[in-house]
Amino acid sequence: MTTSTQDKPVSNGVNTEALIGARGVFAEMPQVASFTFRSNCDWVDGSESRNTINGYFGLGEEHIRKQTFVISSDHPAVFSATDRAPTPPEIALSALASCLTGGIAAVAQHRGIQLRKVQAVVEGDMDMRGILGMDPDIRNGFSAVRVTFNIDADASDDDIRALVAQSQKRSTVFDLMTNPTNVHVVVA
């Protein structure tokens, strides 16, 4: 980590004034703070699937995005798959990295810290015997996840650690991975 001090305006690409404004609106009208995000997944072939993401409910109404986003997933050749896309667990790890990294940018902007580089390396350990049903005592998901940040910013090491801690505290995906969530699966 490289740190220094500068008196130039900070520009990390985050509109913190708008975020603070949203907090004010949500405090006055908590009913508009409820959002529902969605992804539609279609099976392609084998273990490959394609998720399309567009539209969500928030601020009391439906919203359509400017474009539809596509996230494909597959499994590697060692599992007799076509290896056309990352695995779902890899996508989950990338979601964690993205959520924490975006949070660091927002917190840094709010605290007046100029970022030059933020890189996250995320690793998740998984024992495949759980997924394959070989041992009921081995879970299907990650047994451990590690996130390592390399951050270059105009801040002290303690300030950088505080950025990461605040991002972790407010990260949606960190919360999803570390706390139980009610998930309901139905067949239509």
Side-chain angles (χ1 to χ4, degrees), residues 6-185:
Q6 72 177 19
D7 294 325
K8 294 189 267 183
V10 173
S11 178
N12 295 318
V14 179
N15 185 342
T16 54
E17 292 80 19
L19 294 174
I20 291 169
R23 287 176 59 173
V25 170
F26 295 157
E28 291 177 22
M29 299 185 309
Q31 69 277 10
V32 300
S34 293
F35 279 64
T36 300
F37 296 99
R38 63 184 70 90
S39 176
N40 296 310
C41 184
D42 292 302
W43 171 68
V44 176
D45 185 48
S47 58
E48 184 181 1
S49 62
R50 185 172 301 116
N51 290 272
T52 53
I53 302 166
N54 191 338
Y56 59 92
F57 179 85
L59 302 174
E61 62 186 40
E62 284 292 325
H63 297 268
I64 301 297
R65 297 177 111 146
K66 293 178 185 176
Q67 73 180 59
T68 298
F69 300 98
V70 177
I71 301 173
S72 295
S73 68
D74 198 358
H75 291 89
V78 298
F79 295 114
S80 299
T82 56
D83 201 12
R84 292 186 196 136
T87 65
E90 290 168 318
I91 294 169
L93 293 176
S94 71
L96 177 62
S98 296
C99 194
L100 289 169
T101 300
I104 287 169
V107 174
Q109 183 71 37
H110 182 68
R111 294 184 181 178
I113 296 172
Q114 181 62 57
L115 299 173
R116 286 185 294 277
K117 174 186 174 184
V118 178
Q119 181 184 49
V121 176
V122 184
E123 298 175 308
D125 300 330
M126 187 178 291
D127 187 330
M128 293 301 163
R129 293 176 297 167
I131 294 170
L132 295 174
M134 297 170 63
D135 186 337
D137 294 328
I138 297 174
R139 66 180 292 187
N140 295 334
F142 294 119
S143 58
V145 174
R146 293 171 302 285
V147 182
T148 304
F149 278 103
N150 180 357
I151 301 173
D152 183 5
D154 292 327
S156 70
D157 289 349
D158 286 342
D159 287 341
I160 290 172
R161 280 190 285 280
L163 288 177
V164 173
Q166 184 63 23
S167 176
Q168 180 179 326
K169 183 177 179 181
R170 292 288 155 234
S171 168
T172 301
V173 180
F174 183 85
D175 180 82
L176 286 168
M177 285 192 165
T178 59
N179 291 298
T181 301
N182 293 323
V183 178
H184 305 277
V185 179

